[in-house]
Amino acid sequence: MKLSSDKGKLMSYDLEAAVLERYHAHFDAAQYNAIRELLDSNLYIRDDRRLIDGMNALQDTCLEVCGHPDFDGAWQRLAVFCGVNALSIHTVDAMRDFLRRFAAEDPRIDDFEATAKALLLAYRGLDDLKTATSHANGIHSWRGRVAYELLAAVDYLTQAAIHLLMHGDDAYIHEKLQSGLRRITGALYEAIHHSDHPALYNFKSTYFPSERDA
């Protein structure tokens, strides 16, 4: 048993050594420091703890794509950091290009870029969406009321999408989806009651998947 344990430790040591060798062989200090400067400018506050957290998250993702077994999911955590801290698209692109130094074709790098940009743009759109919803709420017509309900639904569904991308709490996602569906239902009630063509707003045949479809 001890021999097997020692062999496992040796294999683990050899793997980590190979990962670190690959990391150092492809590391570019100028590119790394340029990202640090971009991140610093995005956060607006010099020597911010978030700067350290962001650079650590980037380094963890580099090690993940190099094959280190202890950094699984680092790309997703880096993407969430970018979204939550409203980094620029340019900074995300710089991080993506840096990661490609270590594994040019790794699909996790594509997932990092797509997740980070989806989060950034979704967060960016929420304020305008809330303002649009507020304006629609002031329209004195059934069309205005339907638009208000639909915009409110989009707000809830966007929040659900954000938390899905963040690997958030399923109960919270359920709550936002439920609220969004209720708003859509309210919009359809308004349209069926007041529209000259109520049949066009009748979606009673729509099927929603259940646990039986799992």
Side-chain angles (χ1 to χ4, degrees), residues 64-189:
E64 179 186 21
V65 299
C66 282
H68 200 296
D70 294 340
F71 294 95
D72 186 48
W75 70 264
Q76 198 270 337
R77 293 187 289 274
L78 178 61
V80 171
F81 176 89
C82 293
V84 169
N85 289 285
L87 303 190
S88 70
I89 295 294
H90 184 57
T91 301
V92 173
D93 287 342
M95 289 180 172
R96 174 206 61 205
D97 293 342
F98 185 67
L99 290 170
R100 291 206 187 284
R101 296 187 60 86
F102 304 94
E105 303 299 326
D106 195 314
R108 290 172 294 189
I109 299 174
D110 297 327
D111 288 343
F112 155 71
E113 179 186 7
T115 302
K117 290 181 177 179
L119 285 170
L120 283 170
L121 295 171
Y123 272 121
R124 188 180 299 174
L126 277 178
D127 286 341
D128 286 341
L129 180 58
K130 291 181 185 298
T131 302
T133 305
S134 177
H135 285 303
N137 193 34
I139 301 172
H140 299 93
S141 71
W142 72 268
R143 292 180 183 277
R145 292 190 295 274
V146 171
Y148 164 73
E149 294 284 3
L150 291 176
L151 287 167
V154 173
D155 187 352
Y156 284 121
L157 297 178
T158 301
Q159 292 182 57
I162 286 172
H163 281 268
L164 279 165
L165 292 171
M166 294 174 65
H167 295 191
D169 180 63
D170 284 337
Y172 181 86
I173 294 167
H174 167 82
E175 176 189 332
K176 296 304 177 184
L177 288 172
Q178 186 176 59
S179 296
L181 290 172
R182 284 173 177 167
R183 292 292 192 172
I184 292 173
T185 300
L188 295 178
Y189 272 122

